[in-house]
Every structure is written in C-alpha cells, then in structure tokens.
Amino acid sequence: MNSAAPASPAASQPGWSRESGGQNRSGSGETGVSRRARIGDAVLGWACRLSAALIALMLVSLIVVLVHSAWPAIRQFGLGFLVSSDWRANEIERPLRDAAGKLVLRDGEPVMETLAPSFGALPVIWGTAVSSALALLIAVPISLSAAIFLVRVAPKLRIAGAASFLIEFLAAVPSLAFGIWALFVLAPFFQNHVGPVLQRVFEPIPGLRWMFYETVTVAGRTVERPIPLTGRDLFTGSLILAIMILPIVTSVSRDVLKAVPRTQIEGTLALGATWWQSCVAMLRYGRSGLLGAIMLGLARAAGETMAVTMVIGNNNQISPSPFAPAQTMASVLANEFGEATEGLHRASLLYVALILLTMSLVFNVVARRLVVGKVGGVSH
Amino acid sequence: MKLHLIGTIASATVCGAGAIAGEVRLSGAGATFPAPLYTRWVAEYEKGHPNVQIDYRSIGSGGGVKAIADKTVAFGATDAPLSEKEIGAMGGTDSVVQFPAALGAVVPAYNLAGVEKPLQFTGEVLVDIYLGRINSWDDPALQKLNPGVKLPKTPITPVFRTDGSGTTHVFTSYLGTQSPEFKAEVGVGKQVKWPLGQGGKGNEGVAAVIQQTAGAVGYIEHNYAVANKIAYGAVQNKAGKFVLATPESVSAAGDATSAELKGNVLRADAWNAPGEGAYPISAFTYIVLYKQLENIKNDNEASALLGYLRWSLGAGQKFSAEMHYAPLSEKVQQAALGALSSVTHRGKPVVIAP
C-alpha cells in the first residue's frame, strides 16, 4: 500500500543519500578499508535498486494481468458496466412475451427466448461508496477528537505513549478477528436490541418508511415487504468499517497535528483564543493533511474484505435503506471468485477488481499528495 | 471450507507416507459436496488394499471437470452432469463414462425458537418465500401446512448461497419445476440472481446466517444440516406426501429415475421425482472417466482404479448412509456398474485384482 513512500525524509538526512555515501567511500578508501567493502557497497546499492524496481514492477504487472483477464468483460460491457445493475450468472430460458405481455406462440407452442448471463457493477459500486461514506461519517469525528487528545491532552497526562500504542495496536488486529466479532457480537446485538429501537423511533416519522420497507419486483408484480432486521446489513457493515479505519485516520491525523508549528498555537492563544478555538485553528492549519488522512481511511474502507463480507448481507442490490443487505466490490470478489468458472463471469469479477484497484490507487495518490505536501513526510 | 481443509490434510498425509514398492497412486478431483464421503471411501478401501493410494481433492465440480478434460487426474467428480459441450471437449459420448456414485439432498433449514417438530413446506411456499410474497412465519399459507404448530409472528429472512454451487443448482432446479414464474424470472443455475434475502458463502456461510438470525430460512446440504444440528423441514413430494430427507427417501428419489439411466454416459434429474416415499429435493453426484482410460499410464493403475470404483459402487455404498448421504438403489447400482463395465484400457479389457 505504501509502495510510493516519500523519498524526502531519507534524502534530507545526511549520510543516507548516494552522494554522501560516495563521499564516505572516498574517505574510507583513504583510511584503508578494503576493496571488498566497496564491492559490498555496490552490491547492496544494486540490490536496493532491484528491490525498488521489483515493487514497481509488481504494481504494473497487477494492472496488466487484471486488464488482460478482464478483457472479455471490458469488450462486452464497456463503460456501461459501471452503471448497469444486473448481476446474473445464470442463463434464463423462458417463454417469449410480446410488448403487451402476451405469450408469443408458433404452431400452438410458446416460443422460448434465452437470456444470456449479464453483469453490471453498479450495485457493488453503490455498496462500496455508501458503506465507505457511512464509515467515514462515523469514524472521522472520533478520529479527529482522538488525535487532538493525543497531541494536546495526553502529553500533559503522561499517557500519550500508551494511548498511541493502543490505537496503533487496533490497526494490527487481523480483519478476520473484527469480522468474527461483528458476526457473533455486533450483528445479534443489532438484531435484538438496536434495530427494534431504531424501528420504533423512526418508522412512525413520515417520509422514513423507505428505511424499513423494500419493494421486490418479480414478473412485473411489485410487492412491498418489511425488511427483516437481521443485523447483517449495510449499516453494520459500515460500522465495522468505521472501527477498522479508526486507527489509520487517528494516527495520521495525530502526525499532521503534531506538525502544526508551536508558534501557530501559541499565536492563537496570545490573541485570546479559548482552548477550543485554538484546536479549531489547529485543525484548520492542518486541513489538507487531515483530508489526506481521511482519504487513506477511505482507501482502506473501500478495499476491506473479510469483515465486511461477514456482516453486510451479500446481496447485489441497490436499496436506499441502510438496514437492507448490500454487497461491496471486495465482498463480491470474496463471495464469487472461487467458483466462477464460466468465462464472462470470471472476467466481470476481474473487471470489478480492476475498478477497485484503480479507485484505491487514486485515493492513495491523492491522500499522499495532501499529507506529504503539507507536512513534508509522514512515517506511515 | 472446513471439509476441504480436512481433505487437504488427509491427502497431504497420504502423500507424505512415501512410496512403497509396487504401490499404485491415483488422483481424483472435483465436487466438494461428496468429498467427505469420498474421503471415507478412500480410507476404507485403502485398509483392504494397502498398495493403493488415492488422493481426492475437493476443488469444486467445475474444477473437477476441467481436471479430467486436461487429463491431470484419473477421475473427475461433479454434481452437475457433464454438458454437451463438456462431453465434446473430452472427445464425445463414445470416449466418456459418467455414472452416479451417491445421492445428496438439499433441505430447507430454519431458525425458529420454540418450534420443535419439523415444519412442512411445499415447493410453492418455498417459491413464495424466496420471491418475497410470504414475509412472516405466521402467514396463513405456512400455518395451513403446519396445523398444530404455533408459528410466531417473526419476519422471514430467506438466505441463499452467493458462490456458484451444485446445491443452488439442485434447489433452483426443484423450484423451477414448482413454478414456471420462478423458472422464467430467477431461473435455474449454479448461481442465480435472488430478488431478496441474505447471502452466505458455502454451506458454512449460509448455516452461520441461519443460526445467527431469528426467523431465517435457507437451503443447505442435508449432511451439513445433520452434522451441525440445524433444524430442517419436510417438503411435499410429487405424490403429495410430506417427506423428510433421509438416506431412504433420497435413495427412493434416485430409484424413481433409474429408467433414464442408459448407456455409458448416465444422467438423471432426481429432483421432483415421483413415488410416495421420494424426497423431492434430491440429486445424484457423478464420477467421470475416460472410457478408454487414455489418461492412465499402465495396466496396474487401470486395474486399481476400476477396482476402487467397483468397490465404491458395491461395498462402499454401506458407508453412504452413515455419512448422511444416500446410497444408490439396486437398480441405479446396476446401471452404474453397467456403465463402468464398458471401460477398457486403450481398448484392452481391464483385469480387476480382487
């Protein structure tokens, strides 16, 4: 993820760059260090270059392989793939009907039509976008508050180290662990306790009926049905995402806020700002860096797979309700890739993977520019 | 997944045992659904035949068909019978042998606290649940099928499988026979577009959703439901009787189709089978070979392969019920052995060691 780590911190430290290494070399030659050491330097130098090239090569080959294997789907659906909401892997053979809905008959027998499998990514793009957005909505206020705490309150209490460690430790918990916790604790808790309360509060409010009812259209007949509150839905999926992106957003925000010059804060205080006002000023000063932190969180949320797959309900549909099951780009891959043997289905899944890769690449590049541009190098 | 893992460990142990002189090694690959049974068969067979080692990898039906077409395995296993195209890829009907090895059933499993007796379903009611027309357990249609059971006013959450699977194929094929509308709108296949409900990956995924969600109903393999003690219902068969999936009722469904099993490429749809005692959501699982065994190196291996397959169709069948699969009925067994007897090794008859 951090393959494009900024070179600036390394370059800014004397003795690390190639030039200064060269100086050391000539210097050491004078003091009589053997030829072997110089060969060692050269070997190490080239090994480093090779490793760096390998990482770049991996990304390039990833894109090449994805484009190549997604090609049948790209050719068949083109960019329409992004806006089509059909996702059906099976062929359907059914009696042909005319525009009026009447069966088309030939020699008294109904004429059959075959619907080829059809794929479109809109439901999964929707699921990814909405779940990530909801996750940010929940996580960002908490993260920013925690970052302010870490920078301005914790040092006074002498717990900055411990608090930072705990937050960073959260980032090291495998996503499967979050998923299992969400499946066995969070989802049943929502089904039994939170869901019914929310329903009792919000359902009577006019205009919020869409939250608890869905319409199902089959064969032209539309049925409205109550959405069963299962705790496995877009909302729980977003909540678990929020928890998972908290550490990265918090720790990058902390670094951004730490880099705010002391004179800035002291200046605001000197002008008579309250503690709260000076915090706001701090946030404003670091806003582009903070935006970068949020973008990094967004990239992680969009790509997160296992935990989301376990609680989002895995239904390729677009429902306005947060309590309806949904599907994200990552979860559709986790669900379907293993058994997708049919060519176009597999290619379509790889097309989804390509979209996901492009998206996270864009998020990461933008985030890095924002963070690095402002703070001059972040250690994450 | 778990079953797959056990299979992998088992095969790894088998490989690790090292080669003994005169030993024959065979490999098969394919369907995950019968994998626990096949693993058991192999273990039992190897007890009596220490010189034979068979390695079955459960990589999914699609993978099994591809592996046998590529000739990388001695036999393939698949839940769905070979399609015309797949038979063509293997050289046509004259060069392929396909026969059923066992039967499995798909059951409607549910999570309803306080309901002890197995519920009764009809195909029509299952269609209505999956199309969103029956939304609560106390729906009159369900109540009528289950007199004497107090059904709660819990909303129904239908659960489906998100990965392509033989289980979905059998279940949708059965629902397709029950409702032309279902067949025309949702269709039949290994993976379909369900209009509503929750998805889970694999039997274990669907089972997890059912067990965690009050009011959920989903389709899972019979043996998986039994092994994990998940409640499941009886389904009304073609003769109008409500039948629970048992080795006997599923065997009976297979038996009812035995007239269709002819030649060397056997296939029959065992769902919605006639007969008073037949369980309606049943299906065969198949084994696929080359008729001339051109993928087998020598006579020794050919002899061992046929020896094992004959044993599995005969003595092996008694393990099926124990593993919660259904054994082949007498008639189906004869048809399968008949198909197997047409196999030669590059035209030469194969002598089977006792």
Side-chain angles (χ1 to χ4, degrees), chain A residues 92-103:
Chain A
I92 291 182
E93 205 186 332
R94 64 180 186 190
L96 186 64
R97 286 171 190 274
D98 60 16
K102 273 204 182 134
L103 284 176

Side-chain angles (χ1 to χ4, degrees), chain A residues 85-87 90 92 94 183-184 188 191 216 218-219 221 223 225 228 230 232 313-315 325 334-336 339 345, chain B residues 132-133 135 156-157 160 162-164 181 184-188 191-193 196-199 201 209 212-214:
Chain A
S85 61
D86 218 9
W87 188 276
N90 63 323
I92 291 182
R94 64 180 186 190
L183 183 65
F184 288 105
Q191 182 183 23
V216 181
V218 177
R221 260 196 289 170
V223 203
R225 73 188 292 268
T230 58
R232 246 182 305 277
N314 302 319
N315 192 333
N335 273 304
E336 297 185 7
E339 289 288 329
H345 186 193
Chain B
R133 291 171 195 157
N135 296 314
I156 300 181
T157 306
F160 55 84
T162 53
D163 52 332
E181 198 177 7
E185 295 299 322
V186 177
V188 168
Q191 192 191 337
V192 300
K193 188 186 181 192
L196 71 145
Q198 290 261 334
K201 185 177 183 248
V209 177
Q212 290 291 310
T213 312

